[in-house]
Amino acid sequence: MSVEAAANANYGSTASGSSFYAAMRILPHAQREAMFQIYSFCRQVDDIADSDGPRPERLAALQQWRDDIDALYAGHPPERLKDYVGPVKTFGLKREDFVAIVDGMEMDVPQDIRAPDLATLDLYCDRVASAVGRLSVRVFGLPEEDGIELAYHLGRALQLTNILRDIDEDAGLGRLYLPREWLWHAGITNNDPARVTADRALPKVCAPLAERAKMHFQKSDEIMKRNSRRAVRAPRIMSKYYRAILDLLIARGFAAPRAPVRVSKAAKISILLRYAII
């Protein structure tokens, strides 16, 4: 339930490869196809934001997506969104959630995000993760109130885990998503990604972010427990997979050098077998 999950998904993978693909395969056909279309959209706008093309061209490409979304909801879908007409009608997908995803991708384009304040970081998480969740829970068939709440918490849990996992990769792109206030609290006043990621005080910043992610995972678990097992199968698989990543990150620690963490194939299969079967 995040753009990051879509961008990393390998649609031809086995269940033990991509957590997204494994979670979506268990859905009935109409839901599965709708989810693949949602995540295809996410992947395309993410590719624009992460490309090395000129920033004005990327901004124009994202604006074209907004224009195409408007045309879709006005009843005149462009060719690349014609297959979205059915899912939008069937599952009541909201225009504002598609637009929010584009807005989130755009936050990285005028200039790379570096040490955003906590409010900006939360807005970023809402746009690039929870907005995807709001589309997704409608497809899964959750009740309106619980669905929106689940999207809020699980989206943030996944995105904060991504941020903690990708600290060094993001720094290589000139980006730093760790919150400014917590950097200052740790005595880090520089926002240069390379210098921050090498700072010995970095674990003091990552630890509270990990705790915040754990809180969001806990809240999302509470919501899923009170809903039908069938409706929450896919988000639960995603949640358990990303929680396993977070646990590995915490166990490894955040001091440099940071070795990559990966959920084992056996663990992925175990999650799938436990939560996919009703």
Side-chain angles (χ1 to χ4, degrees):
M1 295 166 68
S2 73
V3 172
E4 184 82 9
N8 291 335
N10 177 358
Y11 297 99
S13 70
T14 64
S16 62
S18 161
S19 62
F20 162 77
Y21 187 73
M24 297 311 121
R25 282 187 68 182
I26 66 174
L27 295 171
H29 177 75
Q31 292 177 311
R32 183 171 65 249
E33 291 304 307
M35 287 304 302
F36 281 143
Q37 288 171 353
I38 290 169
Y39 277 78
S40 174
F41 167 80
C42 293
R43 193 168 190 175
Q44 290 180 76
V45 294
D46 182 72
D47 285 346
I48 294 170
D50 283 347
S51 77
D52 56 3
R55 294 181 190 271
E57 291 183 11
R58 284 185 277 163
L59 289 170
L62 290 172
Q63 181 57 48
Q64 185 59 57
W65 272 107
R66 289 193 190 89
D67 294 342
D68 287 353
I69 293 165
D70 286 344
L72 168 66
Y73 280 86
H76 309 289
E79 185 63 34
R80 62 180 174 179
L81 288 179
K82 282 186 176 179
D83 290 340
Y84 288 68
V85 173
V88 164
K89 182 177 181 180
T90 300
F91 299 108
L93 305 182
K94 301 296 185 182
R95 171 193 168 277
E96 55 263 33
D97 293 325
F98 282 110
V99 173
I101 295 167
V102 178
D103 291 343
M105 293 298 96
E106 190 177 77
M107 290 176 73
D108 267 318
V109 177
Q111 59 184 10
D112 294 319
I113 291 180
R114 292 191 176 187
D117 60 44
L118 281 164
T120 301
L121 176 62
D122 191 66
L123 176 63
Y124 179 77
C125 290
D126 188 79
R127 287 173 169 176
V128 304
S130 293
V132 184
R134 290 192 289 272
L135 293 170
S136 302
V137 294
R138 293 181 182 279
V139 175
F140 299 149
L142 271 80
E144 178 78 10
E145 186 174 344
D146 272 359
I148 297 301
E149 190 176 355
L150 178 60
Y152 178 93
H153 287 294
L154 187 53
R156 283 161 171 78
L158 301 187
Q159 192 60 32
L160 293 177
T161 300
N162 284 329
I163 288 170
L164 291 167
R165 181 193 61 192
D166 297 339
I167 288 172
D168 295 300
E169 181 181 341
D170 290 333
L173 297 172
R175 297 173 181 173
L176 178 68
Y177 295 98
L178 301 177
R180 180 186 311 159
E181 295 94 330
W182 293 356
L183 288 167
W184 288 348
H185 185 71
I188 303 174
T189 57
N190 193 290
N191 71 351
D192 177 77
R195 294 180 63 179
V196 171
T197 54
D199 198 295
R200 296 174 66 178
L202 186 67
K204 296 180 182 179
V205 183
C206 296
L209 204 64
E211 288 301 314
R212 180 167 290 198
K214 286 167 64 175
M215 178 274 292
H216 285 302
F217 276 120
Q218 181 180 344
K219 292 291 186 181
S220 63
D221 282 344
E222 293 170 3
I223 298 163
M224 288 188 281
K225 284 179 182 177
R226 64 179 182 246
N227 282 277
S228 75
R229 186 178 175 91
R230 181 179 295 275
V232 299
R233 283 188 304 168
R236 181 169 273 143
I237 289 170
M238 294 289 291
S239 174
K240 296 303 179 184
Y241 175 77
Y242 271 83
R243 179 57 196 264
I245 293 175
L246 180 63
D247 289 343
L248 288 170
L249 290 169
I250 293 171
R252 180 207 63 189
F254 295 98
R258 289 168 289 273
V261 303
R262 292 182 178 84
V263 179
S264 70
K265 181 177 180 179
K268 292 178 184 178
I269 293 174
S270 176
I271 291 169
L272 183 62
L273 292 176
R274 181 175 180 181
Y275 296 104
I277 300 173
I278 298 177

